[in-house]
Amino acid sequence: MQEKKPLTLHNDILHIIDVLNSNNYEAYLVGGCIRDSLMGRKPADWDISTNAKPSDIKKLFPKTIDTGLKHGTVTVVLNKKNYEITTYRKEQSIKGDLSVRDFTINAIAYHPKEGFIDPFSGIEDIKNSTIRSVGKAKERFLEDPLRMLRAVRFSATLKFEIDENTINEIKENCHLISQVSFERIRDEVSKILCSDNPFHMIILKDTGILKYIMPEFEICFETSQNHPYHLYNVAIHSLHTVSNVENKKHLRWTMLLHDTGKAVTKTTDSKGIDHFYNHGKKSVSIAKKVLERFKFDNKTIYKVLTLIKHHDRVIAPTHKSVKKAMNIVGEDIFLDLLKVQEADRKGQNLKYSKEGIEKLNKIKEIYFDIIKNKQCFKLKDLAINGNDLISLGFKEGKEIGNILHALLDIVIENPLLNEKEKLLEIALKNFTPPL
């Protein structure tokens, strides 16, 4: 943490504060921007709190946007940048405003002339890497139950510990999370998954929150995997894979949900070995419900479900096998599938996964060779199309599609045959046009 010295502020911020002060209003920088500045991190945005009302703010600045009037928030646009200004939440004083914020680390204000205003020792908690509720934790959680999830998110992203009283109150009040919209919950969970500490999902289980927001994953903590390839229960394995995959939202959610079907497909053979037949198909079904409940966009849902569907697909390190897989999975997410499969193997017993990872590297090399040499692996790359077959006398309809797919298989096997004359000859030789 940096020394508590004056903050270096952008001229726009100084101007906004000066305009408000010059018109007899208070104005302070508040919240995350102060916390991040003290930690030597670059703030994502700069928020200002004031006793001026939204109507007053709109009169003082030439360009504003009504971003959250019901919460007392107006966005001031200055030099093409946005600055949120919010009316004090309580008691028309900065201390009153800070008293109803979520955590002490976010309840610090700053003024260029007055310095830091820190009535709840947030600076000390930043020094000690502690997340502690402002005042009584239960009151803060009753005001907005999402704060319970935010505590875990801040713990994951800032690498802070949640103080004992705060964590106990989360356990006591975890049921309140049911009052929060799934969109807001989704955004917090995504930030946990995309942090350097996705294992903080375990805190959601231990505090009781997880069973209210994602029971499909909570049950995975109780699903053991007595199998030579595995060392962990399904949930811990999945969190290892989340940690092992590239930090992109759709990939992290894929890894979180890719084995959820194991909880409902588990069988144990006579030797005590666990099996999870058809768990991939069941995982797709479960993941679809979860993603739709969290109101993810259709593009993300498509990517995650496709990757889960194919996460166990067997691909041989040959051009033929790779091209077939690229055709089925889709060129757009084929590399993502390899990342998913690699992360999955790294989350298993490494004693058996080394060979599989080496094979994936060979598959990746073949993939790039196919792309570089523009080898045909999908219908639109064939040297002929349906109109060419119709001109030979083939009847328009389902048969055309069947013939084109058969020709594609031939070309995948032998790329040199992807020439119009050769393919037309093969079509006439192997398929008879109706008289």
Side-chain angles (χ1 to χ4, degrees):
M1 178 175 161
Q2 293 184 342
E3 293 298 317
K4 196 174 75 171
K5 57 186 179 182
L7 300 183
T8 302
L9 302 178
H10 193 278
N11 286 337
D12 288 354
I13 298 164
L14 293 172
H15 172 73
I16 292 170
I17 292 174
D18 184 56
V19 169
L20 287 163
N21 289 168
S22 299
N23 286 274
N24 299 315
Y25 296 113
E26 294 179 4
Y28 296 89
L29 280 165
V30 290
C33 61
I34 308 300
R35 178 198 69 228
D36 290 343
S37 296
L38 287 167
M39 293 180 67
R41 295 155 59 108
K42 185 178 180 181
D45 42 45
W46 297 89
D47 297 327
I48 294 166
S49 197
T50 178
N51 59 347
K53 290 182 168 54
S55 56
D56 301 321
I57 298 165
K58 291 173 73 171
K59 289 174 186 174
L60 293 175
F61 297 95
K63 188 171 183 182
T64 62
I65 304 170
D66 296 347
T67 45
L69 289 183
K70 66 178 181 178
H71 301 295
T73 301
V74 174
T75 296
V76 169
V77 182
L78 209 58
N79 297 317
K80 298 182 180 178
K81 291 185 179 178
N82 293 351
Y83 301 92
E84 284 197 355
I85 305 179
T86 304
T87 304
Y88 290 154
R89 305 180 188 190
K90 187 180 178 185
E91 295 175 3
Q92 286 297 292
S93 72
I94 187 60
K95 184 170 180 182
D97 180 79
L98 297 176
S99 73
V100 290
R101 290 181 179 265
D102 51 7
F103 307 108
T104 59
I105 60 172
N106 298 328
I108 308 166
Y110 181 80
H111 188 278
K113 293 179 181 176
E114 298 174 39
F116 293 93
I117 293 89
D118 182 23
F120 303 102
S121 303
I123 292 174
E124 190 66 24
D125 283 343
I126 291 174
K127 283 180 181 175
N128 296 326
S129 300
T130 299
I131 293 166
R132 181 166 56 90
S133 292
V134 173
K136 294 181 179 179
K138 185 172 183 178
E139 290 181 8
R140 301 289 80 79
F141 298 153
L142 284 168
E143 289 162 359
D144 184 358
L146 186 71
R147 288 169 166 174
M148 298 184 292
L149 195 48
R150 279 167 60 84
V152 182
R153 187 255 287 184
F154 283 124
S155 178
T157 57
L158 301 178
K159 301 178 183 177
F160 282 17
E161 290 289 325
I162 304 172
D163 110 292
E164 188 176 357
N165 178 62
T166 302
I167 204 87
N168 287 338
E169 288 295 341
I170 294 174
K171 291 176 181 177
E172 286 290 319
N173 297 281
C174 60
H175 60 283
L176 296 174
I177 200 69
S178 301
Q179 301 172 15
V180 181
S181 74
F182 278 107
E183 294 97 323
R184 296 180 75 208
I185 292 171
R186 173 200 67 208
D187 292 345
E188 295 297 328
V189 174
S190 291
K191 288 173 183 175
I192 294 170
L193 290 177
C194 292
S195 74
D196 292 335
N197 299 287
F199 273 91
H200 277 53
M201 292 292 293
I202 296 172
I203 301 176
L204 296 185
K205 177 192 180 292
D206 292 343
T207 54
I209 290 176
L210 193 58
K211 67 174 175 280
Y212 290 101
I213 64 172
M214 217 187 308
E216 301 90 344
F217 187 69
E218 197 216 17
I219 195 176
C220 293
F221 282 97
E222 313 305 324
T223 309
S224 58
Q225 300 188 96
N226 184 24
H227 193 284
Y229 285 156
H230 286 283
L231 299 173
Y232 317 104
N233 65 46
V234 172
I236 298 300
H237 157 71
S238 297
L239 292 175
H240 274 287
T241 68
V242 172
S243 296
N244 290 329
V245 84
E246 186 179 345
N247 192 352
K248 288 184 177 177
K249 186 167 65 176
H250 72 283
L251 292 177
R252 296 243 159 158
W253 275 95
T254 296
M255 302 322 302
L256 185 77
L257 301 172
H258 80 284
D259 274 350
T260 46
K262 285 187 172 181
V264 292
T265 58
K266 179 178 174 177
T267 57
T268 306
D269 65 23
S270 58
K271 296 180 181 177
I273 303 298
D274 294 331
H275 300 279
F276 307 92
Y277 299 115
N278 296 317
H279 78 273
K281 186 176 180 180
K282 196 65 182 175
S283 295
V284 171
S285 174
I286 292 169
K288 185 173 187 289
K289 289 179 183 175
V290 172
L291 297 170
E292 289 178 348
R293 184 166 73 236
F294 282 122
K295 294 182 169 55
F296 273 94
D297 62 278
N298 290 335
K299 186 176 180 182
T300 300
I301 292 175
Y302 161 75
K303 284 183 177 181
V304 173
L305 296 186
T306 303
L307 292 170
I308 291 176
K309 178 182 178 181
H310 297 289
H311 81 272
D312 272 342
R313 171 171 287 278
V314 177
I315 307 170
T318 66
H319 278 68
K320 177 183 176 182
S321 181
V322 173
K323 282 188 280 189
K324 282 196 170 183
M326 288 169 68
N327 180 43
I328 293 167
V329 176
E331 181 188 351
D332 57 331
I333 57 172
F334 183 77
L335 274 182
D336 279 348
L337 178 63
L338 299 186
K339 293 171 186 176
V340 164
Q341 292 194 341
E342 183 175 349
D344 198 13
R345 282 165 175 74
K346 287 180 177 178
Q348 298 171 358
N349 189 339
L350 293 178
K351 180 180 176 182
Y352 299 102
S353 60
K354 185 181 177 184
E355 184 180 337
I357 292 171
E358 288 175 354
K359 187 173 85 169
L360 284 171
N361 288 331
K362 290 177 183 175
I363 290 170
K364 197 181 295 183
E365 288 177 13
I366 292 170
Y367 163 83
F368 284 116
D369 183 64
I370 291 167
I371 297 298
K372 180 182 176 182
N373 292 301
K374 298 180 180 177
Q375 292 188 23
C376 174
F377 61 89
K378 53 185 184 290
L379 284 178
K380 75 171 191 175
D381 294 334
L382 271 179
I384 66 169
N385 57 35
N387 291 330
D388 297 317
L389 293 174
I390 291 169
S391 68
L392 287 180
F394 289 99
K395 193 174 180 182
E396 189 173 353
K398 189 177 179 182
E399 185 190 14
I400 294 288
N402 292 337
I403 295 171
L404 289 173
H405 277 99
L407 293 174
L408 178 62
D409 285 340
I410 291 169
V411 168
I412 283 175
E413 185 86 45
N414 189 344
L416 295 177
L417 294 177
N418 194 27
E419 293 179 11
K420 186 172 182 178
E421 292 75 14
K422 291 179 180 178
L423 291 177
L424 292 175
E425 185 181 333
I426 293 169
L428 284 171
K429 186 177 179 181
N430 292 276
F431 306 95
T432 306
L435 297 174

